[in-house]
Amino acid sequence: MIIGIGSDIIDIRRIERTLERFGTRFTNRVFTGVEQRKSDGRAERAASYAKRFAAKEACSKALGTGIRMGVAWREMGVVNRPSGQPTMVLTGSAADRLAALTPPGFVARIDLTMTDEPPMAQAFVVISAWPEDWPRR
């Protein structure tokens, strides 16, 4: 069952200006170490950060909180599954919110897609709940 959906779109140039103006002050405040290493290693650094920023916004919307309601930027981190598929790892109050949304006997799954077509970047998050014993093996 779907328990939350969120999307966000952002102008990459906005992130580029923010990176130029605030540098590590911005990246340390908003992004996890994993996200920083990944984005700093990309040729299109600003686009990489912009997609991750949009993913955090989309995730906070899927959680039903937004950033202002107790969920912090660094509590939501974009990571890749072994297959390369992106997902989100939640900690702190973001993880607590996800646990509160997940019905007993179910496990939450966060699906994420990110894209960019300069000058825009976009992310879409679907949070779903799956029975703990599904699929049966």
Side-chain angles (χ1 to χ4, degrees):
M1 81 178 71
I2 294 175
I3 58 178
I5 298 173
S7 68
D8 193 66
I9 188 166
I10 187 167
D11 192 320
I12 296 167
R13 296 169 295 192
R14 176 179 165 213
I15 296 298
E16 194 168 42
R17 287 190 303 270
T18 304
L19 288 167
E20 290 169 2
R21 183 170 179 196
F22 298 106
T24 57
R25 196 166 122 210
F26 169 64
T27 57
N28 288 339
R29 182 175 156 254
V30 175
F31 300 97
T32 66
V34 169
E35 292 172 309
Q36 290 178 50
R37 285 187 295 281
K38 189 96 159 179
S39 293
D40 288 339
R42 303 276 181 177
E44 298 298 327
R45 181 175 179 251
S48 180
Y49 274 117
K51 287 186 282 191
R52 284 159 178 73
F53 188 90
K56 291 168 184 282
E57 286 279 5
C59 186
S60 72
K61 292 171 185 175
L63 289 169
T65 62
I67 297 298
R68 293 189 173 98
M69 293 179 60
V71 173
W73 293 109
R74 289 176 51 93
E75 293 177 342
M76 300 172 287
V78 176
V79 297
N80 294 90
R81 293 186 173 117
S83 67
Q85 179 184 19
T87 188
M88 304 287 295
V89 170
L90 306 183
T91 60
S93 58
D96 293 343
R97 175 67 180 163
L98 180 59
L101 290 172
T102 307
F106 285 74
V107 175
R109 176 185 168 116
I110 302 174
D111 289 294
L112 165 65
T113 185
M114 302 181 295
T115 190
D116 66 280
E117 181 63 39
M120 306 305 285
Q122 181 181 22
F124 191 80
V125 170
V126 175
I127 301 175
S128 55
W130 295 83
E132 289 176 344
D133 61 351
W134 191 89
R136 295 177 195 261
R137 300 198 189 256

